Structure formats: C-alpha cells, structure tokens
Amino acid sequence: MTKTILLDRLNKHALTKRVLLTMKLTWMIVMIMCMQVSATSFAQQKISITAKQVSIKALLKTIENQTEYRFVYSNNALANDKKISVNIHEVSLDEAMRTLLKETGLTYTLKESNLVVIYANKKSGKDVVVSGKVTDEDGLALPGVSVKVSGLSVASTTDGSGAFSIRVPDNSASLEFTSIGYIKQTIPITGSFMNIVLKADNRDLQEVVVTGYTTYKKSQSASASTLVTAEKINDVAGLTFDQILQGRVPGMSVISSSGQPGQSASTVIRGIGSVNGSSTPLYILDGTPIEGGYFQTINPEDVENVTVLKDASAKALYGSRGSNGVIIITSKKGKAGKVQVQYSSQYGFSNLTEGKTTMMNTAQRLQFEEGVGVDFKRTIGPGWTYSPKNPTYINGTAAFRQRADQILDSLRNINIDWRDQIYQNSKFQEQQASVSGGNENIRYYNSLNYYKQDGIAKRTGLERYSLKSNVDFKDNKFSGNVNITIGYSNSSFTEGEGGTGAGTAMSAAYYALPYENPYAPDGTLIHQGNKANYFILDQREGSQALERLQNSSNKTNQLKSVIGTSLAYQILPELKITTRAGIDYRNTTDQAFINPDSYYGSRSVANTLGGKGRFDEGTRRNFNIISTTGLTYAKTFNEKHDFEASAFYEYVYNNYNEFNYTGFGIDGRLPETPAGIINSAAFLPIVGGAKTTSALASFMGVARYTYNEKYTFTGSYRYDGSTKVAPQNKWHGFYSFGANWNAKKEDFLKDLSLIADLNFRSSYGTTASPLSGNYNYLATYAVNTSYNGIAGSRPVSPGNPDYDWEYVNEFNVGFDLSLFRSSRLRLAADYYDKKTSNMFFDQPLSALSGFSSLALSTGKMQNRGIEFDISGDIIKTSDFTWTLGVNAGYNKNKILHLTDAADQLLDGDTRVFKVGLPYGSYYAPNWAGVDPQTGDAQYYNPDGSITTTYNATTQSVAESGSLYPKFTGGFNTSLSYRGISATALFSFVSGVKRWNNEDFYNENQRYATSNQSLRMLEDRWMKPGDVKTLQRFDVPRNFTSRDIEDASFLRLRNLNIGYSIPKNVLDKIGLIKTMKLFVQGQNLFTWTKWRGMDPENNSVYGRFQYPNARTYTAGLSANF
Amino acid sequence: MIKNIYKKYTVIFSLLIVSASCTKLDMKPTDTIDPGKAFRNIGDINMGLIGAYALLDNTMIINNSIVSDEAMLPTENTVSNTDAYRWIYTGSSGSVTALYSTYYTAIDRINRTLAGMDLLTLTGADVAVSDQYRGELLALRAFMHFELLRAYAASYQNGALGVTYLNKSTFDFLARDNFETTVSGAKADLTAAKSLIPASFTDKSRITRIAVSAIQARLALYEKNWADAITYSTEVITALPLATRAQFPAIWTDASETEIAWKAKRVATDSRTGDVYFRQSGGIVLYAPSFKLINTFDKVNDVRYPAYIKFDATRTGTKSQYLVNKYAGTTSVPGLADIKLFRTGEMYLIRAEAKAESTGDGAADLNALRAARITGYSNAVFADKDALITAIYTERFKELTFEGHRFFDLRRRNLPVQRLPEDAINASGAVTLLPTKAQYTFPLPAQELAINKNAVQNPNY
C-alpha cells in the first residue's frame, strides 16, 4: 500500500500530469469517504525518530514505516533535500512535522485517511497562531470540529473541550468551521482568540434516507420518505409518540382511538390497503421491530428522529411486512465531548373538549316531559306525572296537587351537569434527566423519565417510568452499538367506554337526567340498590354509573423492553459485514375488580357469579426476536460509478402467551388481589389463555448504482418464508426498482442559484401486508362450548386453503426541490398508485352453512393520491426567524373487485363493500326530512320518490361517504426572536364521515325517559307548518343518512411558547449552562361540524368514546 | 493479497449459509383443532352432539311472548328494543331473525358430526353407543328444522314456503323448501332416530325415544296429520303420565321432572332463562303476563296460576305488580331455570285437538288435563266442535304460556293476535295483528336475502 506520489507543482508544462494527479487524489478521497469506519484512530499515532544528518525524504519514509501516515509532495518542493538531525520521542504528527520542516519554508496539511500533503508555504515565517473555542447554541463544547483556513488546506480539529489552535498565514481572511450535524460557519479572523458558536443543522439529516437496511443520500435515493426531527417530538405533553406525529407527515393519517392516556392512535399511511388484514405500519426502533399499538412505555423524549417510509423502493426491503409503510424511530445518541447533563420538567392540567350536543337542563327537561304528556299522553317523567296539565292533577285532591307542586319545585332546584360527575380537570407532570457524552470511540446516552398523566375521565390515568441507554462504539474496523429501552407503565381505565348501554360512565354523562342528584344530603350515593329508601323520580342512570365507577377498577400494567445490538466489521475497504439482533418483549398484566360490598358486586348474575364481587387478572406476554446478518459491498469505480450492494439473511420469531382467570366470591377485606377469591362450586372460577408462535425467514439483496452523482438506480429483492400462510404459499419474493435523477448536478442547473437542489424520483415494487392472525388458513374446531355442564366441540372457522399474502403493487413518482441560497424554500411532492390484490374478503355465507363468512383471497383495492410538504423560512435575520410549513396528503380509495360471486357485500350493519366505491362507505336510506304537515319522518326510495315507510333493505344506498379520510395534513409555523420562540401546529382531517350513534339515543322517543338533547325540545315537529329537524315525537327513529355526519376537523394541535434565559444571566448564576422555560397547550381549539363527543376517533361509530383532552403545561429544560 | 480477499469472502459466505440454515418454519398451531382431529372416536362424536345441544335457548319462548297476547310491556321497561312488541320488525330486526342462523348453525354442527361419525370404524360397546348418538343427532336435526319451520314458514300449509332441509354440511346458496318437504325431511329423521335410540336411555336433558315421540306428535299437529298426532301423543302419555297437582309446582322449580319428555338443562354458566322477562340489574320487569292471560285463570283453584304468575304488591307506581314466575329460578340464582321443551300436558292438548278434528272425542283429554290442574274441577261438556277447539285453544294459552307456543298456535288457525287495551298501553297502537300483515310471520334475516340470491322473503316484507 505504500505509495508516494510525486508532484510537480511548479512545472507549468506538465499539465497532463496535474490533471492525472487531481483525478487520482479525488478518487482517493472518494474512496476514503466510503471507508468512514476504518479512518478512526490516526490521532493517536505517535512518532519517535532519532537521526543525524538524514534527508527529509528519508525521515518521511521512516514515519511512513512507523505509522499509517502517507506523504504527498512535489519533488520540486524537496528538491534541495537537505540533511537534518532530529531527536523526537513519542510526539504527535504536528510536532514531528514542525521539527522536520522547520527550516524548509514548507508546510503540511493532514487530509482524511492519514494523507499528509507537503507544499511550499509562500508566506513562510509570517504565520500566526489562532486559537479559540467552538460551542453549540446551548454553550456546550463541541469536540471534533474541523477548522480550516479558507482557500487553503491548512486544517485542524477541536479537542475534547472544544478548543482549537491553528497556524494560519497572516493574510488569511477567514476560518471555516464544519462538523456533522451543524451548519458550516465561515468567520473572518479577528484576532488570536475566537469564540465560535455552531448552529445545529437539521437539513443535514434531511439529506439522508435511512431505511433500516441502507442509508442513502437523499440525492441518491428513489424513496419517498418524511423525516420528523426531535424538536417536533420532544416536550409534547400528554401524547404517545405516534399521536405526536399527527399533522407532521404528508400522507400519514393519525387518528386517536381514545382519549385514554397512553392509548395508541390509529396510524394509516397512504390509505387503508386491507379490509380484513392489518393496516398498521411496521415500527422499527433502533433497528428492532416493535409492536404497533403499544407505545405507553415508549418515551418520546428519547426520540432523536422518525423517518416514515412510504414508497415501494424502501418498503420492499421489508417484504411481506412492509406494505403499510415503515416508521423508523431513531433514539438519541451521545456526542463526543464533556458529559452533558440535561434535566427537563413540566407540569400541567387537562380538561374536556366539549362536543356540540347540548343536553336539556332541568327546566327544559320538565317542560319536555310535560309537552310529551300533553300531546301523546305518554309518561316519561315527573314533569308530566305532577304537571298541573295532567288530568290526574286536575281531578286530584288539594293535598295531591299541593304535593305535586312541591315535588316539581324541589326538582327544579336540582340541576346537575352530569359531565361534572364523570369528568374532571386532571393533572399532568413529567420529569426527565439524561446524561450523555463520550469520546471519539465510545459515545453514550442514558436517560430516566417519570411521567404521570391523569385522564379527564375520572379513574383514568397513566403513570410511566422509562429508562433508555444507548452506547455506540468504534475501534478501527470494528463498530457497533447497544440500545436498551425499558419502560414500565400503569394505566387505569374507566367503566364501559365506547358503548351506548346505560349505566356506564361515558354514556351516563348524556343519559342521566339533570334532576338526578346522585347523593342524599348525608352524602350517601343513591343507586338502584338503595333507592327504595328514598323518594326517587328519575332513572338513576347516572348514579348507577357512579356506583359502578366507584366500586370497580380496571388497570393494566405493562413492562416493555426493546433491546438491540448491532456489530459491523470492515473486512476490506469495500466490504463490511454487519449483524444485528433485537428483542421486543412485552408483559402486560390486566386486572379488573368489582367490590363485593357494593350494589354492583352484590347481585348474583353471570358477571358477578354468586353475588360477591369479581376479580380478573390476566397476563399477556409477547416476545419477538429478530436477527439480521449481511454483507455490504460499496465501491466507486473510475470516480463516476458509485456502486453499493448488500445481501442479508433475516429471521423473525414471535411467541405469544396469554393466561387469565376470573375469580368470584371476593372477601371485601382483600380487594384487588387473588387472595380474596373463594374457590367453591358456588363461585366457580374461570380460567383461560392462549399460546401461539410464528416465524419469518428472509433472504434479501439490495443494490444501488449512481452514475456521476446524477443518475441513481436502485433495486431490491426479498424472499420471505412465513408460517402464517397456507403451506403451498409459504415462500414468496418481493422486489422493487427505483431511480433518482439529481438534476442539480446537470450543467444547466449547476450554476443557477435560484435552485439549490432538485431531484426527481420514481419507484415501483411489490410488498405485502402483515397478517393479523397466525394460522388463519386452517379450518378449525374448538372445545369452548358446553351443554348441561358437559364440554362440547364446535367448528370455529371454515378455513381458507388458498390463504396467501395480500400483495400490494405500488408506483411512486416525486421530486424534491429547494429554492434560493441556503435552501430557504423546500418542497417535496409525490404521486402514488397502490393496488392491493389477493385481498381477503369475508364472503358472507348463507346462514344454512352454519358460518357467517368464508375467507376468500379475491379482493382488489386501489389507493391513489398525491402528497406534498412545503416549508420555508419567510424571514431569516440574525435575531428574527419566521418559518412556515404545510403538508398534506390526498388519498382516493376504491374497491376494484370483491369476489367472483358478488360486487356488493354488506360490511357490518351500516356499511357496504361495493366495487367502485371507497372502503368504509356507509350504507343507509337517504333522509328526506320531516314532513312539515304531519311531522312524519320521510325517506327516499331508490327511485327518488319520498315515503314515510322505512325499509332499510330496499332503501339503503351508499351515498353518504366513507369512514376513512380523504385529505389529511397539517401546517406549522414557528417564530423566534432572540431568546423567545413560538411554534404552532394545526392538524386537519377532511373528507371523513362517521356514524353518529349518539344522536340515535339522545334524540329518540324510545329512550325519552333518559335525558335527551335540547333539539328534542326546540327543534322537534309539534304542529302543522313546523319546519324542524326532528320528527314528531311518536314516530320511530330509524338509521338514515342523517346519522352519517361529517367528522372532518381542524385542530390547533399544539402551541408552544418558550424563552431561553440569556447566557450572561446564567453565567452569573453558574452551574447551569442553558435554560429554557416554556408553556404549551394541546388540542386548544377544534373546528368541526361533528355533533358527537369528539370528531377525532377511528371507530366506525360515535358511541360515547373517551374524548381527547385539552392539555396545558408549563415547564423548563436545563443543561448542566 | 487477492488470494486473501478470496479467503475472506469464502469464510464470510460459508458463515452466512450456516446462519441461514437455522431457518425454522415448521410451527404448528397449538390452540386449535384441525378437522382431521375433530372426530377421532366416539367420545368426540358426543362432544360434537353436545355442541349442537348447546345452541338450544329461550329465543323461541320470548319471541312468542313478545309478539303475541300472552305478555305486555310495562311502563317500567324503558330499556328494551320494543320493535318486536310493536310489530314493526323487519328482516333487519335481530330479535326475530337471530334464530334463523343459530339453528342452522346447530344443524351444521349435527351434519358435520354425522359425517365425522361415518368415517369412524367402531367396534364393541361403541357400536351401541354410536347408534344412540346417531339417533339423537337425527332427532335433534329434525327438531331444529321443525323449530325453524314454526318460526319462518310463510304459513303451515302444503305448498307454502318452508325452510331448507339440510342433510349435509354445505356452503351452497340454497332455495327454501316447501312446507311439506321440510315436514317430510323431519319425519324421516325422526323415524330413523326412534329405531336407533334405546328405550333404556332416559336422560331427559337429551333426546330419548319418548322425546322423539313427543316431537313427532307436535310435528303431526302442525302437519294436521291427526292420526299421527293421536298415535305419537298417546305414546308419550302412556310413558309419562301427567303430574299430580301436588307434583306440578316442583316442575317449575326444576325440583321434579315429572311429565317432562325433554328439557334444555340450564347450569350456572348459562345465560338465565328468566332474564328475558325480568332484568336483575335495576330490577326491571321487561315483559309481564298480559291481563288477558291473567283473566283466563281460576286464580284460586288452578295450580298453574301461582306456578306461572307472581303477584308482588310491594311493586308500586309505574311498576308491574305481575311477574312471570315460570322461570323465576331460585333466590341464589334468580332466573336460572331449565327450558321445558316437551311435556305430557302438551300431549293431552295435541291429542284433544287431533281427536276433535278427526274422531270428535277430544273433550275427554281436555277434561283430564283440567282435572289434573284445577282443584274441584268438574268435567265440561262442549256444544260443538268449534266450541271444543276454542276451549282447547284457551287451554293451550293457559297451560303452555311462556313456553313458546301462543303466536304459532294462532298462526296454525290463521287467527289474529288480539291484545286487550290494558295490555297495549305502551304498544303505540299495536292492538291487533291481522294475518294479512307481513309481521304475522317472522321475516328471514335481511342479511340472508342479501347474500343468498336463491332465498325468498316471506310475503309482504
């Protein structure tokens, strides 16, 4: 390898030689860049020489023999190679070179890969030494920053404390400071000591696309992906990390499934691609796949960035698991330098985001009851029973009338807003401490987090402890890392969320009558069990819910750990072997308890067998292990041909175990423990559980070729073998192709300063969606039935012998454009067309078959859409910055084929699958309003005529829209002025319809003994000529298009105002390096037409789901 | 150097191949039974049979109560879906359509078990046991079809739309059979069953030979095959005499099985029969005995009255003071009561009606039954056949109330459902249901019609 390049700098005629040399140098440098890992430990090489009257050339040879330094110089420079004497021992290169070149008028510069270039120093003898210190914006020292004299090759780096020292010719104008992750700074030399502050550069991250198997420069990647960086994820209060991504990624819809603290959202990338399979993206945390839907214990504060992979060229690397998109989460890593201690803390509170439905208050309710009594002689409450208009009153005795008046008077004095009984203003706090640091070879990041969030529904909350430890190490050709995430969470849930049944907390907030005072004057809760002792005129629906709420508990604790380790070894400069193993382990314990000493627990019903409470406990253990081993070959040929290829073998194994039991006959002195259970025939306990395993083995290859930094072609192939599909379909291949054109490198754009960057990308490939069950293809029998206490068996599933993957073919084309100097305006846009074939449809079967459906793999569905992301720095001065960003995705979903037998199938009782329509289309008779003359409810027949006869079978049409949003996105803005910053995020979901099933109960004569919406009093037909929303009271209420409401919304998702305390103030205090104070709010405003509790919910119906909270917090973050 | 590189490559690739060979993809499901293992032996056949028995429930009982004149909706019931009570059900109303898929599911289980049985080679004592199981399976298949026929036949006449008779498990989309085809399918199965079930088998929770006779008798009544009805009811009456007045109350507390031919046993883990009339949670009477029914009883002398109907004076205000007592259960497990499917009382009424229609001497059976129920009863004389039939109908109303007969009995003779005004206070005008109305027959599930293009809905829906 020893190589000395002779350089004839001064020979002007040797032009060809110069060109040749330049080319060779460039080639070497590019080569070196590909060998990042091996170029590590040169700084440590020490030089010892003792020589008398030896030529400099010979001395350089000696150094080359001792170390890995290689010298490049012109023969002319050392033409009069004079002999010198040296005696140095264990010195650095710099010292050795100064000694050697002391009287030569030459200087040197150290390039990457130990290359030392020696050249004439024209201004020899007039060098000055400039020293200084480089820090980041928080004032923390930055080691390893490259310091270079502008226009020259003189360079140095900062040490562990950020200090540097460089010899510069005295006429040099400025120094350049560069470091990965920071914006390059060019500073004029002002004196012999300089303090430099480098600003973090997130655009640097934007330049790289990480897929988990490859890391390509954005200009060389065919992939459509979006990066969300730490400052958008950290510090957001009260949301899991997936919820935080709402409104951040174009084409990714994130919709909450419940306001329960810690509950994961429903995340869908580029439209739902499966009806009966899974549509959950694949989540990868530091290289280890983690389960979707279990993010309670994942601490968003530890997240450095999230990359969302959306197109086939990236997803196909994940083969049969990739079609729903891949979300790559990278946690924080330590930075070389002094130990950094960071502490942040925030406190706050949450309250209810009100829905649009107003329920009646006491006065309104009594008026309503009386009105119904007068018009329909129906008694729905004391408002009519004791009404002066009631014949019983008119014909009653004076004593009765006096008593009736008293009763109504006392009822009028009660006016309970039941929301106050069910909901609460809840507290929030979070504490985070982290310690990070390291040197060039080992870097570490450790954090501890405590998080406590009470829910806005009483009895709910989440408490979390989490720990994170990342260690990255490298030594010459060897590198690796270990990532450990451990979290423990405790969640508590409310009673009967998301149901319309009476007696549950969420529905009681609506159903309970306003004159239902839950408590007697002595504070006793009056419920169904003891109400006989009191004079009660209401339904006690609210008190029943309270009684249940107060005498039961429902808790889950979860221990989750994600442990991953990866190792890489650079065998040859162009060949690297990597191996990675990861474990995702979750143990969940669910516990439910009903107090035996309560009314709720004392009834001898199936739920509380024997009438002495109930205790349930169950554990669910999920264990997932992944191992990936592979080779990466990367080499650039002839400068222009940049080639990289990898081959991997991967094995994923999943093991799931579940065990649960239910005990009855609880001793009230031993609550919430199995010790309180009585085991006897009268209190027969129930035992259950499940076990299953699955595995996936894959062989894969991926390659990229870039020509002249302009044209990139990528391709991948993955061969997956799975236990989840029918044996004959076990193995299947998935492929992708992609191309990127880096147009900025073309001659016609190279010098155009308006366009800073321009890339066009396109890709096509196949993937599949992960299967939800493990052995869905099998016809099965189970023994979970019995008659007369004797066990029986029954067929469970008819099976699907052709069961195969649901294949997704996806095409993507897009571009990235940056405009103006320093890329002030950035735009990325993509178009995609995604087709799912082989899609599972449950072909409904005739009841005669004994099964409700037969799984078939015959469906086809298409998702097409466009998405864009624009961000720009509108104002950017040294003091004031204003940025604005908008991102949105429009998706059009269409069912292309159902089964060979049908092009329309019912989907539950309110939706339909129909070829040509989007998945999730509601199916209901069209509402034709209320007949102003009769007050009858009117419906449209399919022929357009209007009728008062309701017939769901013949009248239903799919014209009400679909449950899955068409248009989602967000816009964000941030302002910063000196130390003050403000950021806001709005998110929106549009083109989405949901079935509001709450109105069906709140505006229905059938349930009029419970409280009703104010519209039942004010907007109901009463007399001919009334033009009202609601029909005559006695007309049955039926499910129609009126119940399908627009659930689009725009939400001020997050508003954060922060203030960084000036450094001079902190310096006076000492100890604290930086400190930032902030206040923020989540879900502050919502604009929607939806009448139910919260438009943001992924359920097909609105049925008193737990609404999302509005949260306010204040906090501080400090570095020590 | 080149050689070195090749060496390294060789080592690496062989390592990769070694690691790839740890591919383990031969996992087996642990929590399910595949069809090949479903019926290995005679014990598994019994489990399949039990799986079919498990689907017997009280739906037929409550549906008959709600749509007929034997029950009323009290004001205190603000919690039920009252569409069925108000006769506004359609094919989308689960209350009246659920049975259709439940009983066909049971039939499918029976047919799969029979198919599994055919594949077994049995020896020794298993042969006799298998005959009994086969008999039970065939009889249960006949019974399930007959129940579907009672509920969903357009009418009980030859040529009318019946229900598809299934002799094997199928995914086909089949059309409905005519009434007479369903009947003959059931008759054939019952005849075969009778010869297979040994007389020594007397477990009343399952179908015995006497229970087969009872099913045959009822089927003959719906078929208007009076001779068969007399023959088969006589077989039951001979084998299982009527309970005495002293024995009678114990039948309804499940303390006695006198005169019971077959009953669906309920155990603690089952849903409770009586819950459809009285909701424990909140103590709500969901459906109360109608005043029409209460008024027909001799409250003092009729032993049936206290066994069937409970009066609770402590219930005041808008609460119903009358409660259905037939399925009250015990104080420790309220509402848990066996479902009496066939008993001798019904057999007397079948024979009385058959005789009245054929040989004309039905009064004797009617009087015998009344004498067994009413203290101090003296035999009545009936002016003509119509008077006798009317009396038999009234007696059926009383004797078999809340046992799933009333609505179907009215339909057998095309009689309207006629409620008293005091029973219809919460019926929103549902006082009379004429046979010309669609709701006079239960509709097939809308889902079935949407899926099965060969299925036909009952008239007028």
Side-chain angles (χ1 to χ4, degrees), chain A residues 604-610 614 662 664 680-687 784-791, chain B residues 54 265-273 275 333 335-338:
Chain A
S604 182
V605 292
N607 192 43
T608 45
L609 194 70
R614 172 185 174 115
T662 303
F664 301 102
S680 71
F683 302 114
L684 205 61
I686 302 166
V687 176
N784 55 358
T785 185
S786 72
Y787 170 69
N788 194 16
I790 302 161
Chain B
K265 286 285 280 182
R266 299 291 95 166
V267 295
T269 47
D270 291 326
S271 68
R272 299 180 186 185
T273 320
D275 282 359
V333 254
L336 187 72
D338 297 340

Side-chain angles (χ1 to χ4, degrees), chain A residues 5 22 121 265 267 291 310 362 368-369 529 632 653 694 761 839 921 969 1042 1076:
Chain A
I5 299 166
T22 318
N121 185 350
T267 301
E291 288 176 283
K310 296 184 284 193
T362 298
F368 172 67
E369 289 173 2
T632 300
Y653 171 80
S694 69
R761 316 172 247 107
M839 187 166 69
S921 291
R1042 182 176 62 169
K1076 189 181 170 190

